[in-house]
């Protein structure tokens, strides 16, 4: 991955707004028996860490809102088996994030 597909930086002070979440909150997914290959999830985690390191921690809130219910991004929530792995990647990049919002009740 050459990084050529990096998103441009967000304008200073730009509010992060997203459409309402799609679908139900994420459950166990992202390569854990839901049809998403493990390597695809790993690649997505690494791309997201790069994006957040470029855009800042607030960008992760936008991704969480936009990708809620998407099994490829299930690792964003603490109840996901690969969440610790994602947190570790963030830590390796010296990114400190606020805790994610809790999943919606079913």
């Amino acid at each position: 991955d050459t990084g050529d597909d990096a998103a441009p930086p967000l304008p200073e002070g730009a509010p992060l707004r997203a459409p309402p979440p799609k679908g139900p909150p994420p459950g166990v997914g992202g390569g854990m028996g839901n049809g998403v290959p493990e390597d695809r999830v790993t690649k997505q985690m690494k791309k997201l860490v790069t994006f957040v390191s470029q855009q800042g921690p607030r960008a992760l809130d936008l991704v969480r809102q936009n990708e809620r219910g998407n099994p490829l991004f299930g690792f964003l929530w603490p109840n996901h088996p690969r969440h610790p792995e994602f947190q570790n990647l963030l830590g390796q990049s010296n990114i400190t994030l606020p805790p994610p919002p809790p999943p919606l009740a079913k």
Side-chain angles (χ1 to χ4, degrees):
D1 200 27
T2 61
D4 294 341
D5 56 348
L10 297 173
E12 186 66 34
L16 292 176
R17 295 204 173 119
K22 298 180 277 186
V28 174
M32 297 295 185
N34 69 346
V36 180
E38 291 287 330
D39 60 337
R40 184 170 174 209
V41 176
T42 301
K43 183 176 179 179
Q44 190 63 48
M45 280 194 272
K46 290 177 180 179
K47 286 177 77 173
L48 185 54
V49 167
T50 300
F51 177 74
V52 172
S53 70
Q54 293 169 348
Q55 303 297 328
R58 290 182 350 144
L60 189 57
D61 291 334
L62 182 63
V63 174
R64 282 185 178 131
Q65 288 177 337
N66 286 339
E67 301 301 337
R68 184 176 205 100
N70 182 343
L72 183 58
F73 288 87
F75 60 84
L76 292 172
W77 280 266
N79 63 335
H80 191 276
R82 295 193 67 185
H83 183 73
E85 180 183 351
F86 177 63
Q87 291 290 84
N88 186 46
L89 288 172
L90 291 171
Q92 290 174 9
S93 296
N94 295 317
I95 300 170
T96 304
L97 301 173
L104 297 175
K106 290 183 180 181

